[in-house]
Structures are given as structure tokens and as C-alpha cells.
Amino acid sequence: MSAERTIAVALHDVEPATFDRCALIRDWLHDHGIDHVTLLVVPAADLHPFFQRRPDLAAWLLDCRDRGDTIAQHGFQRDRARRPEFSGLCAEETRASLEAGRRLLALAGVAPRGFVAPGYAYTPVLRREVASGYDWWATVMRLVGRERDTLAPALSLRRSALGVRARSLTAGRVLRLDLHPADFDRPRRVLALESVLRGASGRRAVTYDELAPAPFASSGAGVAPST
């Protein structure tokens, strides 16, 4: 297992406003050989539960989960007046936001094991809370689990489509790829992504849940913050 080469694709910003696009992207990825994806869901992007805005989104997530995808929590409302969502929040406020988002996902039947902060914008308080409250959480450089950490820098088409193509050729055991709905508005990004996926055809598609196995005991100690 340690020598196996894998690809972990995460689709960010899944919420009612992006649902139609996300569903098309998920089908497109399947057509390109990616049969397992991590879907990062914003529980209440406009401060309303996502499943009330789009019941069909909740049903789609259940179907994706049943086919092997991972559903992870992506903040709570994502964009707080265009500032990092958890910036300036105290421990109590951070904990309340996390718990509210987790509860909404659980009500929709897709309780998450993991968490990814929007834009990977973690505060020290947020790091402490997610380390103790989730089985795993992801930074831009690694996946932090209760049992082990996986070093895997996230490649994003937002930064440089050409750079993603180049760095994917030298990726280690895990090739980690971040996708956003808006990426598919840019033909150059789609072409770069197609090139990356062709080059990764020998890798097995995995989710973040697979990279961070559930701990033997849910009461295990939290993981020290990583960068």
C-alpha cells in the first residue's frame, strides 16, 4: 500500500449556487477515470441550510456517497463579508460555527469525518478545534489525520494551469488536485486538467477519507497543528 500511486481530487465550494456546475464536473471526472472524489460542501452559504435551498443537492450527495465519494465540511458559510470565514472568531464562536455546519450535514444524512477550511485559511483556534473534533483536516500542504499525516501539496488550477501540469509530473505517492466550479469557465484550465488526468491514468483515485483511515477509538488524542 505504501508504494501505491494515487490521485486525490477535491471539488471545492459545493453549495446550492454551484450545484448544477458541480454535478456536471463530477460526471466529467467520472468520464475521465476519476471514480472517487472528495466533495467539499458549504453547509449554509447564505445562512440557510443547503438542503432547504436545494433538496436535489442533498439527494445527489447521498448518491455520490453511496458510490464511494467522500463528503467533507467546507467551513460553514464560506464567505464572511469577503474575509477569511474564521478570522477574528474566539474559541467559542469557532466551535459553534463548526458544530452548526456539522449538524446541518448530519441532518442531510452526510455527516462528515473531515474538514477543509475555505481557502485553507486556518486560525490557531480553528486548528485546535478541528484537530480535536474531526478524524482529519486538510491544509494546502498535507492531510492531517488522527493516526497519521500525509504530505501531499494541493495543486490548484487557480494559481497556474501550466504549473499544475508541470508539478503533477513530479508528484509523489499522492497526487492531490484541487478543483473549483469556476475552473471550468477557463478553457486553458480544462485543457491543463485533461493533460494532468491523462498523465495520472496509472494512479488509483482515492478520497481524503481513504487517505486518513478512521481511528480505532474516536476518543483518540488530537493531532498537533501542521502547516
Side-chain angles (χ1 to χ4, degrees), residues 12-180:
H12 291 236
D13 301 337
V14 180
E15 47 115 330
T18 66
F19 168 48
D20 294 329
R21 171 63 62 87
C22 289
L24 290 173
I25 293 172
R26 183 65 193 91
D27 289 343
W28 185 90
L29 287 168
H30 187 273
D31 291 343
H32 284 75
I34 305 300
D35 53 359
H36 293 91
V37 172
T38 300
L39 301 170
L40 306 185
V41 181
V42 183
D46 60 355
L47 294 181
H48 289 81
F50 73 94
F51 52 82
Q52 291 182 358
R53 291 296 194 202
R54 294 292 300 264
D56 49 346
L57 168 55
W60 178 76
L61 289 172
L62 287 169
D63 184 56
C64 288
R65 183 203 60 189
D66 291 344
R67 287 186 284 131
D69 287 348
T70 280
I71 312 301
Q73 184 176 342
H74 198 33
F76 176 60
Q77 56 176 311
R78 189 185 59 182
D79 184 4
R80 191 165 61 92
R82 297 188 177 182
R83 295 168 50 202
E85 182 175 350
F86 295 89
S87 174
L89 299 186
C90 68
E92 183 177 352
E93 292 168 330
T94 297
R95 190 177 307 115
S97 183
L98 291 174
E99 290 176 353
R102 197 170 191 174
R103 183 169 58 251
L104 291 180
L105 289 167
L107 286 172
V110 289
R113 285 184 49 218
F115 179 89
V116 180
Y120 298 111
Y122 289 91
T123 65
V125 170
L126 178 59
R127 289 172 183 262
R128 289 195 298 271
E129 292 297 329
V130 297
S132 62
Y134 295 81
D135 288 340
W136 62 261
W137 54 288
T139 73
V140 72
M141 290 301 297
R142 66 182 68 236
L143 189 70
V144 184
R146 290 184 184 272
E147 299 294 332
R148 66 167 183 260
D149 293 3
T150 300
L151 179 63
L155 305 184
S156 174
L157 295 165
R158 281 182 165 184
R159 296 184 178 92
S160 168
L162 183 60
V164 167
R165 293 175 66 173
R167 289 194 295 275
S168 70
L169 298 175
T170 58
R173 182 176 65 85
V174 180
L175 169 57
R176 186 173 154 216
L177 188 62
D178 279 353
L179 300 182
H180 298 80

